[in-house]
Amino acid sequence: MHNNLNKSIGVTLLSFLISFSVWAEGKKKLDYTVYDGWKSIDRGYVISNDGNFVSYVISPQEGDSYLYLYNGTTGALDSISRGKSPKFSFSNDFLAYKVVPQADTVRTLKLEKAKKDKFPKDSLFIQSFTSDKLTKVTNLKSWTIPRDGGDWLAYMLEEEVKKQEELKDTTQTESEVTEVEEEKVNSEENKEEQAKEEKKDKKDKKKKTFKSKGKPLVFFRPSTGDSLYIEKVSHYDVADDGSGAYIVQSVGDTTEVSKVLRFNSSSFTVDTIFKQIGKIDKVITDYTASQCAFLFTDDTTKVKVDRLYHYKNKMKQPVMIMDTVCPTLPAEWSALSKGSLSFSRDGSKLYFGAGKRPQEEPKDTLTADERVHVDIWNWQDKEIQPMQKKNVKRDKDPAYKCVYHIKSGKIVALESPEFRSVRVPDKGNLNIGFSAVDTPYKRAQSWSGKWANDYYKVDLLTGKKELLQKEVSGRTALSESGKWVVFYEPADSAYYSINVATGAKTNISKGVAVMWVDELNDTPSDAGAYGIAEFTSDGKSIVVYDRYDIWQLDLAGKKSPVCLTNGEGRKQNTTFRYIKLDREEDYIDLNSEWLLNSFNDVNKQSGFYKLNKGKLQIVIEGDYSIYNPVKAKNANVYVWRKSTFKQYPELLVSDDSFTQAKTISNTNPQQKEYRWGNIQLVDWVAADGLTHQGLLVTPEDMDKNKKYPMISYFYERSSDRLHSYYRPAPSRSTVNWSFYASNGYVLFVPDIYYRDGDPGLCAYEAIVSGCLAMADRFDFIDREHMGIQGQSWGGYQVAYLVTQTNLFKAAMAGAPVSNMTSAYGGIRWGSGMSRMFQYEHTQSRIGGTLWNKTQKYIENSPVFFAPQVETPLLIMHNDNDGAVPWYQGIEYFMSLRRLDKPAWMLVYNNEEHNLTRRANEKDLSRRMMQFFDHYLKGAPVPVWMHDGIPAIEKGENLGYDLVE
């Protein structure tokens, strides 16, 4: 531990404020050495239900993290080295978190190629707020806290603890650990079996014995120190309300014996409800631990068939509800462990997966060289072969959802090969479900770009399916009551409701001149709807969005739509959106006060508003980017964040006024030692005649009397990112905004508007005009030394631009499409999909097929204009790119090489579209800046650019050294 949790480290809130004063002599520029130590707040910061405590983790990019615990009552902030994954108990009694091994230790063991069992294990720490005790548990495998109740937790260990004394060493507290009453778990029968085993002679010991793969499981109540140790546990499941749990023990001598134990959290005892020779694959509990279900097999053959068992309190023993014969299911079906297993929230239903019974594979009679290996592509296939191969695991012997009605004992199949997905609203409680079937539209998805479904009502009592609506391609919502389906219909530009009981369909958005879909959509496809917030608690309406405002639509269609924000969003160019503060919320209460987030798309300010029965009230709003808050369940306490380009989004704590917020984190205090950058929103009239917005990032220490090289980075529209913070980090594919500004570059980020058929020309009109406008407006921009950089779609635009203009002195294109005629017929190997749809209907924006718009495909393909390129070009295209085929980079590079054009291509082996390995990210960042430094700043050329790196020196000579 860095500091004991009971001692405050005395950090004052004022020390959290980072100074962004004007650069002074001695301030350092960011370099590659700062990457690893630049930190960020992990996702998953938590607040106790009573609002008294907040816990969060700050992690460097490489190295050891720190977990922090903030006491809202005292203001104390404690830290724990290497802490991770904090969780508060529902009862506010304790905080639990794990502590991971030191990063340096793990790295050393990796270098030594140590075996897995030699690596240090995680530990669990439990801080009790009632007893003020800190408990440490070593050799941690996993741990669970009940979600909605209880003052206890369960944790599993990596190793068995066979003696009482050893357990005391494993579970350490500042006071004596409560002794574990092993006799509660290990019955007298087990003790007798153990005694007999000890008396066996040496000959018997040589016989084959069963070795359990189970692990120790401990239940622990921090406030009292009560603990219960259970050995050889293979599976367990904890009830959400904290009432108890069910546990599977895997024991035995020469054969496996499976037990199911029921844990009572009130008495901290267990009792055995099932014991039999065989194996249990899965166990689950209902919400209140009053029921459990598990899959069991006693087959001794290689291929095992599971049987489904159900248990409910007061039963003498679990009841087998399905084996290999079930009159209401297909004859060849059985329960499958690969399927889901769950209870409805009210405990009236058990959902399980069933499908084709496992069969022993026929003995292979062919040698390896006698087997045929062939993929057959059939023009009538719903999915092309690459997609089928991606989905083999999903599609091979699938498990279909079935329901067991507990009261009647009836089993009904809900899913089938045609109906592969059935959802039951109201947490599975209803007797009605819904299924979306895309089979009729799957084949055309390759080129249509349209993901449509037919929607069916499913009767859970009979399994009968009834068609509600064909070919729904817009957003669909199902009410938790099961009474309504709402969907957006692009053809009519309207929202429709379907009364599930009657099947009646009604246009519920008519009568107002509002666009419910993306007003800025510039692709040759139907625009997507702005979305649905939720159904209202009275069951009569639904809340939806337009571009700016929030609307109430009457489900029966009898009342006209009501703008709940009174049109203020459109008047102010501000988007309002509802913030869901309660994760359990299924409906929106029209009579309660709502918290909204806001974003102004003109000045990019954001904030929070309150909406109460039609009255809109500003809470806070300003020049920052704001994050949705996390609310304490039972207190008026919120944790939230806001950022600017210069200010990291620290954690803030406040009430719902969001004023006088306390900053409780200080993530990168070292930032004040480094040069950063400034950012401003700019606009200009582009060559397309439209006014475009963009961002201009300038060095913090800029001398306006000097000239600075400028790099333009782009990807569609990015001006809304005005207040985003960019921590210095190695790049997966693009320039890092703050890093380049710190190193003396101006960065220009223009928004691009598109027309169908002219993606390349539209990029040219926006980017070139924008760069020239910035150079004309700001004397500090060196128009003789401008570069461009982009990745993926941005990489394509870079590849296109250098064929059309010599304005730029250097260009870097990541994963660019260079030949739309060959890319059109290619495959997105990451998903197995054909690429046709994206050229006809989505981002590539050609708007037609290769044969009816042939000239457009050629006009927008850089490779056809390679002879016009005079700009030095650096390409990155990796050989495992699942989005843009690698051969696109190869085609362009080979063309430029043949034409004696200065070009380089970085190919990171077995890497994806964007880099995933940190070592490769660091390498790309260094090479990209060396490339731009050489051409835009006149720095010496590095060896890798000057001489290349021969294949025989790969991995040994990185070529970073500069050629003087």
Side-chain angles (χ1 to χ4, degrees):
M1 289 185 64
H2 181 65
N3 283 321
N4 189 285
L5 273 172
N6 302 303
K7 298 178 181 178
S8 169
I9 62 174
V11 179
T12 63
L13 298 181
L14 289 176
S15 67
F16 293 161
L17 300 177
I18 297 174
S19 173
F20 294 106
S21 58
V22 180
W23 177 81
E25 187 175 355
K27 216 169 185 185
K28 299 174 288 186
K29 67 179 181 180
L30 297 166
D31 61 27
Y32 307 115
T33 65
V34 309
Y35 287 152
D36 293 348
W38 216 275
K39 298 176 287 293
S40 60
I41 297 173
D42 291 1
R43 293 181 180 179
Y45 47 89
V46 290
I47 183 170
S48 60
N49 286 339
D50 60 9
N52 289 337
F53 293 94
V54 177
S55 187
Y56 58 93
V57 175
I58 293 180
S59 298
Q61 294 172 48
E62 284 190 16
D64 295 324
S65 62
Y66 273 87
L67 180 144
Y68 293 86
L69 176 64
Y70 170 74
N71 186 322
T73 303
T74 67
L77 185 71
D78 296 321
S79 64
I80 302 93
S81 177
R82 307 191 313 279
K84 288 281 190 179
S85 307
K87 295 179 182 177
F88 290 104
S89 66
F90 184 85
S91 59
N92 309 301
D93 286 346
F94 64 86
L95 168 73
Y97 55 90
K98 68 178 180 181
V99 172
V100 300
Q102 287 185 327
D104 287 345
T105 300
V106 173
R107 184 176 185 276
T108 299
L109 290 169
K110 286 181 178 179
L111 287 172
E112 295 172 351
K113 298 182 179 179
K115 293 182 178 179
K116 187 177 180 180
D117 61 357
K118 298 298 182 183
F119 280 71
K121 307 296 189 297
D122 294 345
S123 296
L124 178 66
F125 282 76
I126 307 151
Q127 170 67 56
S128 172
F129 300 134
T130 56
S131 65
D132 203 27
K133 293 178 181 178
L134 178 66
T135 303
K136 176 184 177 182
V137 178
T138 60
N139 293 313
L140 177 70
K141 180 176 176 63
S142 63
W143 57 291
T144 304
I145 294 178
R147 191 185 68 183
D148 298 333
D151 58 354
W152 55 276
L153 75 161
Y155 58 84
M156 183 172 276
L157 305 175
E158 289 282 4
E159 299 173 359
E160 288 286 353
V161 180
K162 296 181 180 178
K163 296 180 181 179
Q164 183 63 45
E165 290 75 21
E166 292 181 88
L167 179 61
K168 287 184 179 180
D169 291 336
T170 302
T171 307
Q172 306 165 11
T173 68
E174 295 180 355
S175 63
E176 184 179 0
V177 178
T178 302
E179 294 184 357
V180 174
E181 301 178 32
E182 292 189 54
E183 64 271 19
K184 291 180 180 177
V185 182
N186 302 317
S187 65
E188 292 300 326
E189 181 183 357
N190 282 344
K191 291 183 179 180
E192 291 175 8
E193 290 176 359
Q194 191 173 13
K196 290 179 182 179
E197 182 179 351
E198 292 173 355
K199 294 178 180 179
K200 286 182 179 180
D201 57 21
K202 294 181 180 180
K203 184 178 179 179
D204 291 334
K205 289 181 180 179
K206 291 181 180 179
K207 292 181 179 179
K208 184 179 179 181
T209 60
F210 166 74
K211 185 176 181 181
S212 174
K213 295 181 180 179
K215 303 289 185 181
L217 179 69
V218 178
F219 293 100
F220 181 58
R221 180 178 283 124
S223 60
T224 62
D226 292 340
S227 62
L228 181 62
Y229 176 92
I230 308 173
E231 65 179 1
K232 298 179 181 179
V233 172
S234 59
H235 306 281
Y236 72 100
D237 192 36
V238 169
D240 284 341
D241 79 337
S243 297
Y246 288 88
I247 307 105
V248 174
Q249 261 191 319
S250 175
V251 297
D253 183 8
T254 58
T255 56
E256 181 173 10
V257 177
S258 291
K259 294 182 178 182
V260 178
L261 311 176
R262 176 179 53 187
F263 168 68
N264 185 315
S265 64
S266 298
S267 61
F268 248 57
T269 59
V270 296
D271 58 296
T272 301
I273 64 170
F274 179 87
K275 178 183 177 182
Q276 193 168 326
I277 294 174
K279 181 179 178 63
I280 293 178
D281 284 326
K282 186 181 292 186
V283 67
I284 56 109
T285 177
D286 69 353
Y287 187 80
T288 62
S290 61
Q291 302 179 85
C292 81
F294 56 91
L295 293 169
F296 170 79
T297 179
D298 58 3
D299 286 347
T300 57
T301 58
K302 185 177 180 181
V303 178
K304 295 176 170 44
V305 178
D306 284 314
R307 301 197 290 269
L308 179 61
Y309 283 76
H310 171 248
Y311 173 82
K312 193 171 184 177
N313 283 351
K314 298 182 181 181
M315 282 183 175
K316 291 183 178 180
Q317 60 185 7
V319 175
M320 184 184 70
I321 59 175
M322 182 179 176
D323 58 3
T324 58
V325 178
C326 180
T328 57
L329 298 182
E332 70 276 12
W333 279 20
S334 68
L336 299 178
S337 60
K338 65 162 56 176
S340 61
L341 189 61
S342 64
F343 286 97
S344 59
R345 170 63 74 88
D346 64 8
S348 65
K349 302 176 184 67
L350 171 63
Y351 297 96
F352 65 95
K356 185 178 179 182
R357 199 159 45 247
Q359 302 287 332
E360 188 172 352
E361 294 288 341
K363 187 176 180 180
D364 197 345
T365 60
L366 299 176
T367 64
D369 58 351
E370 291 174 332
R371 291 195 194 96
V372 175
H373 298 276
V374 60
D375 298 330
I376 298 178
W377 297 47
N378 189 309
W379 67 282
Q380 298 174 93
D381 286 343
K382 297 295 184 183
E383 291 183 342
I384 59 177
Q385 280 288 315
M387 289 184 70
Q388 292 183 43
K389 292 170 78 171
K390 282 288 181 181
N391 297 326
V392 162
K393 187 176 180 180
R394 181 199 70 185
D395 294 339
K396 186 176 177 60
D397 299 329
Y400 301 107
K401 182 182 289 185
C402 303
V403 61
Y404 170 60
H405 294 275
I406 294 170
K407 187 173 181 179
S408 67
K410 185 177 182 180
I411 291 177
V412 179
L414 303 180
E415 296 177 349
S416 65
E418 181 183 0
F419 297 90
R420 292 289 296 271
S421 176
V422 172
R423 174 193 162 189
V424 183
D426 194 25
K427 300 176 177 62
N429 295 334
L430 299 183
N431 283 325
I432 189 171
F434 300 89
S435 182
V437 178
D438 65 353
T439 307
Y441 316 104
K442 263 187 173 297
R443 184 172 175 271
Q445 283 176 0
S446 290
W447 57 84
S448 69
K450 189 175 183 179
W451 276 256
N453 291 278
D454 295 339
Y455 276 86
Y456 289 80
K457 176 175 69 174
V458 182
D459 188 328
L460 268 68
L461 296 175
T462 65
K464 179 182 177 182
K465 279 79 174 178
E466 180 183 334
L467 180 66
L468 290 173
Q469 180 65 32
K470 289 185 68 66
E471 200 171 351
V472 177
S473 58
R475 167 75 188 276
T476 305
L478 311 173
S479 68
E480 288 299 298
S481 67
K483 295 179 180 179
W484 298 96
V485 174
V486 172
F487 67 95
Y488 178 77
E489 176 54 69
D492 295 345
S493 301
Y495 277 106
Y496 283 85
S497 70
I498 298 176
N499 184 313
V500 174
T502 65
K505 185 174 76 170
T506 306
N507 183 335
I508 60 174
S509 60
K510 62 185 177 182
V512 291
V514 170
M515 285 187 66
W516 303 110
V517 295
D518 184 4
E519 296 179 14
L520 303 179
N521 176 59
D522 56 10
T523 63
S525 62
D526 291 332
Y530 283 106
I532 295 170
E534 193 53 83
F535 289 87
T536 57
S537 56
D538 61 5
K540 298 179 179 180
S541 57
I542 190 170
V543 177
V544 303
Y545 302 124
D546 72 6
R547 179 178 179 181
Y548 296 111
D549 289 299
I550 304 176
W551 292 76
Q552 178 186 355
L553 305 182
D554 177 43
L555 291 169
K558 296 178 180 179
K559 298 179 181 179
S560 298
V562 176
C563 184
L564 299 175
T565 46
N566 300 312
E568 288 299 317
R570 192 165 294 274
K571 291 177 187 175
Q572 302 174 26
N573 295 304
T574 297
T575 297
F576 292 117
R577 294 295 182 259
Y578 175 78
I579 299 175
K580 185 175 181 177
L581 295 170
D582 183 356
R583 64 182 180 181
E584 291 293 304
E585 176 186 86
D586 292 325
Y587 301 98
I588 294 179
D589 184 356
L590 290 170
N591 295 316
S592 66
E593 184 176 77
W594 300 1
L595 183 65
L596 313 178
N597 65 36
S598 67
F599 179 78
N600 186 291
D601 63 11
V602 176
N603 61 27
K604 315 305 178 185
Q605 290 186 344
S606 62
F608 294 137
Y609 281 67
K610 288 181 180 178
L611 181 65
N612 195 343
K613 297 181 180 179
K615 293 182 179 179
L616 191 64
Q617 175 188 356
I618 185 172
V619 182
I620 58 169
E621 191 171 48
D623 291 316
Y624 38 73
S625 180
I626 207 160
Y627 293 54
N628 281 355
V630 176
K631 181 186 179 298
K633 186 175 184 66
N634 302 317
N636 185 28
V637 182
Y638 295 75
V639 179
W640 53 291
R641 306 170 74 182
K642 63 178 180 179
S643 70
T644 66
F645 181 73
K646 291 184 175 183
Q647 180 180 335
Y648 181 80
E650 302 290 359
L651 289 173
L652 307 171
V653 175
S654 71
D655 59 18
D656 63 355
S657 70
F658 298 98
T659 57
Q660 299 180 341
K662 296 179 181 179
T663 305
I664 63 169
S665 62
N666 188 20
T667 307
N668 291 296
Q670 78 278 16
Q671 182 174 326
K672 61 181 177 293
E673 302 172 11
Y674 292 91
R675 307 174 195 174
W676 206 251
N678 296 305
I679 193 168
Q680 60 182 302
L681 187 66
V682 294
D683 58 44
W684 73 101
V685 176
D688 58 8
L690 302 174
T691 299
H692 291 234
Q693 286 186 313
L695 303 175
L696 192 71
V697 182
T698 54
E700 183 181 24
D701 59 333
M702 187 179 65
D703 182 346
K704 293 187 178 181
N705 295 316
K706 294 183 179 180
K707 295 286 188 181
Y708 293 85
M710 183 176 81
I711 296 174
S712 182
Y713 163 79
F714 32 79
Y715 191 99
E716 304 264 350
R717 299 171 193 154
S718 299
S719 62
D720 288 354
R721 294 155 64 181
L722 174 65
H723 299 302
S724 296
Y725 178 91
Y726 295 88
R727 65 172 182 163
S731 173
R732 299 182 64 204
S733 55
T734 63
V735 292
N736 182 284
W737 297 15
S738 54
F739 194 88
Y740 272 75
S742 180
N743 281 271
Y745 283 94
V746 173
L747 193 69
F748 173 53
V749 188
D751 285 352
I752 305 168
Y753 305 144
Y754 294 95
R755 301 181 300 275
D756 293 356
D758 296 315
L761 178 60
C762 291
Y764 175 91
E765 292 171 345
I767 296 163
V768 172
S769 66
C771 288
L772 292 174
M774 295 304 106
D776 289 341
R777 190 176 307 170
F778 302 105
D779 291 338
F780 54 80
I781 294 174
D782 185 352
R783 68 169 60 235
E784 300 301 319
H785 292 89
M786 296 195 295
I788 48 177
Q789 198 276 325
Q791 162 71 10
S792 190
W793 181 241
Y796 156 71
Q797 292 169 123
V798 169
Y800 177 87
L801 284 175
V802 295
T803 69
Q804 304 298 308
T805 179
N806 298 326
L807 177 65
F808 305 108
K809 294 297 179 279
M812 191 278 176
V817 165
S818 63
N819 185 352
M820 288 192 176
T821 67
S822 60
Y824 173 80
I827 300 295
R828 295 180 65 94
W829 295 109
S831 61
M833 294 184 64
S834 164
R835 294 176 55 83
M836 289 181 177
F837 75 92
Q838 66 192 75
Y839 292 91
E840 296 183 36
H841 295 289
T842 62
Q843 189 174 54
S844 298
R845 296 175 169 90
I846 297 300
T849 66
L850 180 61
W851 41 91
N852 66 20
K853 290 204 171 184
T854 307
Q855 191 58 37
K856 285 296 182 181
Y857 279 86
I858 294 173
E859 288 175 4
N860 287 281
S861 296
V863 72
F864 290 105
F865 308 99
Q868 299 172 194
V869 176
E870 295 184 13
T871 305
L873 180 65
L874 174 63
I875 301 169
M876 179 190 77
H877 215 140
N878 306 320
D879 56 16
N880 193 37
D881 192 323
V884 179
W886 180 35
Y887 58 73
Q888 286 294 309
I890 294 174
E891 284 191 45
Y892 204 32
F893 175 79
M894 296 306 295
S895 299
L896 296 174
R897 179 178 182 272
R898 168 68 179 81
L899 293 164
D900 283 330
K901 306 291 185 179
W904 297 261
M905 187 161 75
L906 305 175
V907 180
Y908 292 95
N909 302 146
N910 201 34
E911 273 282 21
E912 300 177 13
H913 189 57
N914 293 287
L915 296 175
T916 59
R917 293 186 60 242
R918 187 168 176 80
N920 291 339
E921 293 170 3
K922 288 182 175 181
D923 183 81
L924 171 64
S925 298
R926 193 162 184 176
R927 296 189 196 281
M928 187 158 53
M929 182 160 273
Q930 284 187 325
F931 172 76
F932 281 126
D933 280 352
H934 174 65
Y935 282 109
L936 302 185
K937 288 186 173 182
V941 64
V943 169
W944 67 270
M945 288 177 62
H946 190 271
D947 302 323
I949 304 296
I952 58 173
E953 298 179 19
K954 179 180 176 180
E956 299 175 3
N957 177 14
L958 295 175
Y960 295 147
D961 292 340
L962 302 179
V963 179
E964 299 295 340

